[in-house]
Amino acid sequence: MAAGSTIDARVTRTPIPSARRNDLDWIRVAAFGLLILYHVALVYAPYDWHVHSAHTFGWLHEALLLTNPWRLTLLFLVSGAALRLMTARRTPGRTLRDRAGRLLPPLIFGTLVLVPIQSWIEALDKGGFTGGFMDWLGHEFGPTGLSNGVPVNHLWFIVYIAVYSGVAVALMTRPALMARMEAWLVRATAGWRVLIVPIAWLMVIRIVLFPIFGITNRLTWDGYNHFLSLGAFLFGFLLVRQDSVWAGLERHRRAAALIALTALPIMMAQAAHPGGGAWLGVPRAVVFAIDQWAVMAAILGYGSRYLRRASGPALRYLVDATFTLYLAHQTVLVVAVWFIRPANLPAPLEALTLVGITFGVSLLIYEVVKRIGPIRPLWGLKPLPAPVERTPYARRRRLLIVGMAAPLLALAAVLVGVATYPGFDHARQYLSELGGASAPLPLIFNGGIFIAGLMCMAAGLGFGLAIHGLTGRWIVASLTAVVFILAGVGLSVSSLYPWPDPRHMAINLGLGIQLAPLLLLWGLWSHVDLRRLKIFLFITFVVMAILTVLTKHLVLPGTVNDANVGWWERAYAIILVGWVGVAAFVVERRLKTHAGRHNPED
């Protein structure tokens, strides 16, 4: 038997595992979530980041050390492990094609579309550019800009993963060499050495290479980072199947956690103290390396112990969404800072707003793009599989889901608009003033209402098609759709022309939506199993009618006055818009049930 075969038989003792490891998936999702929070923190940190808040906190210099030493290194390790699991039944050539198909389209798209938005805002913010976005594109991709290289910003991680994947595929073409490397690593990390050997490696490269290269995130001059990140990538790639290594990480997880908790305050003190860089920075490099691997070993050990079987819909959703969120989040964050900063919000409120917008908008982008087959690869998603059979009412239900989301978007636009409007008086001021000339950031409110108007039109089509699908009644279905479409047009147009522009009065087209509950009631009257929805629709119509009579001063004049008109408008707006989401949810569920008993064409 050949030497290579002997080693391979001894090292790979277990059958080929499944293509997924739940613990590594959880770690990857959590690490990317921390990355987004880390980038929000950089908005307030004393570092040269893309954009900054008006608030800066010096203590973040030390606080960011909570994740800074290990977060990206752990991601590279998990990425290498994931690649190895993916190659279980693939040839090197197939693996290379799959990785290129997954990584190159989002890299090109992000570089040409997402990153220029960030770099343009950064250039405006730092005073280096005064032109518009199209001017900036000409600058970035013209001779002057290209002479300095094309900025990839946060997409450098994809560049590195692509290159490191190429190195791993090259190893796959030499299975005997790869088996010897695995065997050596298994021996080198046996027992306590699973903690000691990686720490020693990290110490050496930190002491020797970091002073020379630092971390540049530029592929051609990033020696320390390559020894660190490529080393972690190959460590995960080579050892993910070795049960003895994972057993060692589980066995020493408590010790690793204790070491990490001891090293962290020392590392923070070294970073804060003026003498922390004494002795050529060697003591600081030693503590940094200890903390770096100790945290990673603890996370990997605890994850392997408790998360291997922790699967479910939430994990599957987040695993699929993570790449898209990574692509979108930094552009969303930079734009959000640019628009929100002029409001001079208190730092805690501003930070919470940025976190909410970054996660929320990134998730919204994922929810949209995952449904559009042609652009899925641009956002890091696999192409949609060929449909096996047509899903009944699929398009109608999707339109109704948009109807569920429309009130939430309108509410978010109002809440963010209020948060960025210091001194806004809910009792005396109309909501439309959030998009008027006196508002600090009218684009937030107007943009949200514009999109909500488009969503209202889509919901109207969904309601109309749903009524026809459930009852076959074209007249009431068409009337319902028309009322919603007119309301959506009114909302969108009014947001384009804020008050006192006379075109703002297009909002009156939206008043016809008061008839929509009656139309739905008419259309669904024959469905006895929708009794509660019909009661809800009737009550909604009655309440809106009462509020209309009062706010138009047709009865009880003086009840609505300048001192409280804002609260009356809020109540009217909540009912006028909120009922749509409730009705869309119930009708969508009814369509799903109906589809289970029939097989209609969509």
Side-chain angles (χ1 to χ4, degrees), residues 192 194-196 199 203 252-267 286-298 302:
W192 275 94
V194 77
L195 298 182
I196 296 171
I199 287 175
M203 282 183 184
H252 299 299
R253 66 189 186 279
R254 296 186 185 89
L258 181 61
I259 293 170
L261 290 173
T262 304
L264 178 61
I266 299 173
M267 182 175 58
V286 168
V287 177
F288 188 96
I290 291 172
D291 175 84
Q292 193 171 33
W293 179 249
V295 174
M296 291 171 61
Y302 278 101

Side-chain angles (χ1 to χ4, degrees), residues 48-212:
D48 182 24
W49 203 60
H50 304 292
V51 290
H52 282 92
S53 166
H55 312 282
T56 303
F57 301 99
W59 54 266
L60 280 171
H61 180 265
E62 290 78 43
L64 290 176
L65 290 172
L66 281 167
T67 67
N68 195 40
W70 53 266
R71 187 192 63 259
L72 283 172
T73 308
L74 181 62
L75 272 174
F76 277 111
L77 189 152
V78 171
S79 298
L83 177 62
R84 183 63 181 280
L85 294 175
M86 186 189 81
T87 65
R89 295 173 181 84
R90 289 178 171 89
T91 64
R94 168 78 183 280
T95 301
L96 190 62
R97 288 193 299 273
D98 288 348
R99 295 307 282 167
R102 190 75 187 275
L103 297 175
L104 294 184
L107 177 60
I108 295 170
F109 170 73
T111 301
L112 296 177
V113 177
L114 300 177
V115 169
I117 298 172
Q118 301 174 37
S119 56
W120 173 57
I121 290 176
E122 181 178 4
L124 292 175
D125 191 48
K126 295 179 178 178
F129 193 78
T130 57
F133 181 63
M134 298 307 296
D135 298 325
W136 178 254
L137 287 178
H139 168 78
E140 281 290 89
F141 298 105
T144 303
L146 291 176
S147 66
N148 297 320
V150 178
V152 293
N153 287 18
H154 66 300
L155 303 184
W156 71 269
F157 181 79
I158 302 178
V159 176
Y160 281 41
I161 288 291
V163 173
Y164 296 168
S165 296
V167 174
V169 170
L171 265 181
M172 290 174 62
T173 64
R174 302 288 301 277
L177 172 62
M178 193 163 71
R180 288 195 294 272
M181 293 174 67
E182 288 180 12
W184 182 86
L185 280 173
V186 168
R187 291 193 300 270
T189 56
W192 275 94
R193 286 176 296 202
V194 77
L195 298 182
I196 296 171
V197 170
I199 287 175
W201 167 262
L202 294 173
M203 282 183 184
V204 170
I205 64 173
R206 188 79 182 179
I207 292 170
V208 176
L209 296 177
F210 184 75
I212 300 173

Side-chain angles (χ1 to χ4, degrees), residues 231-507:
F233 187 91
L234 292 178
F235 187 91
F237 181 81
L238 293 170
L239 295 184
V240 66
R241 295 181 184 174
Q242 305 306 321
D243 289 341
S244 62
V245 176
W246 292 98
L249 288 168
E250 289 186 29
R251 187 164 52 250
H252 299 299
R253 66 189 186 279
R254 296 186 185 89
L258 181 61
I259 293 170
L261 290 173
T262 304
L264 178 61
I266 299 173
M267 182 175 58
M268 287 182 166
Q270 289 174 322
H273 195 277
W279 299 94
L280 301 177
V282 171
R284 184 162 61 187
V286 168
V287 177
F288 188 96
I290 291 172
D291 175 84
Q292 193 171 33
W293 179 249
V295 174
M296 291 171 61
I299 291 172
L300 293 169
Y302 278 101
S304 178
R305 179 79 172 187
Y306 297 109
L307 297 177
R308 282 211 188 199
R309 297 176 181 84
S311 185
L315 178 60
R316 290 191 291 272
Y317 177 87
L318 291 171
V319 165
D320 192 50
T322 295
F323 198 176
T324 303
L325 265 63
Y326 168 73
L327 291 168
H329 83 276
Q330 188 162 295
T331 300
V332 172
L333 174 59
V334 169
V335 172
V337 174
W338 183 248
F339 279 109
I340 291 175
R341 185 176 57 191
N344 293 318
L345 298 177
L349 176 59
E350 183 184 72
L352 286 173
T353 302
L354 290 177
V355 169
I357 289 175
T358 304
F359 276 103
V361 174
S362 299
L363 279 171
L364 180 61
I365 289 172
Y366 166 69
E367 285 293 332
V368 171
V369 301
K370 77 176 185 179
R371 292 170 167 81
I372 306 174
I375 66 172
R376 282 174 60 92
L378 300 179
W379 290 92
L381 299 173
K382 295 178 181 178
L384 285 172
V388 178
E389 62 180 45
R390 193 176 186 83
T391 303
Y393 297 131
R395 282 195 290 269
R396 305 175 200 213
R397 291 173 57 199
R398 282 196 290 268
L399 289 169
L400 289 172
I401 290 172
V402 173
M404 297 180 215
L408 298 177
L409 177 64
L411 177 62
V414 170
L415 293 178
V416 176
V418 170
T420 57
Y421 194 139
F424 185 78
D425 189 337
H426 283 282
R428 295 178 176 273
Q429 290 184 267
Y430 291 94
L431 289 177
S432 59
E433 294 181 52
L434 295 172
S438 60
L441 296 171
L443 182 60
I444 293 175
F445 177 80
N446 290 331
I449 298 303
F450 179 82
I451 297 172
L454 298 180
M455 296 170 77
C456 181
M457 294 183 233
L461 290 174
F463 278 121
L465 291 170
I467 291 172
H468 179 260
L470 294 172
T471 68
R473 299 177 177 178
W474 266 117
I475 295 178
V476 66
S478 301
L479 289 174
T480 303
V482 167
V483 165
F484 273 96
I485 290 171
L486 288 175
V489 170
L491 280 174
S492 296
V493 172
S494 69
S495 68
L496 295 175
Y497 304 103
W499 180 259
D501 191 308
R503 289 170 289 186
H504 181 77
M505 297 312 296
I507 190 66

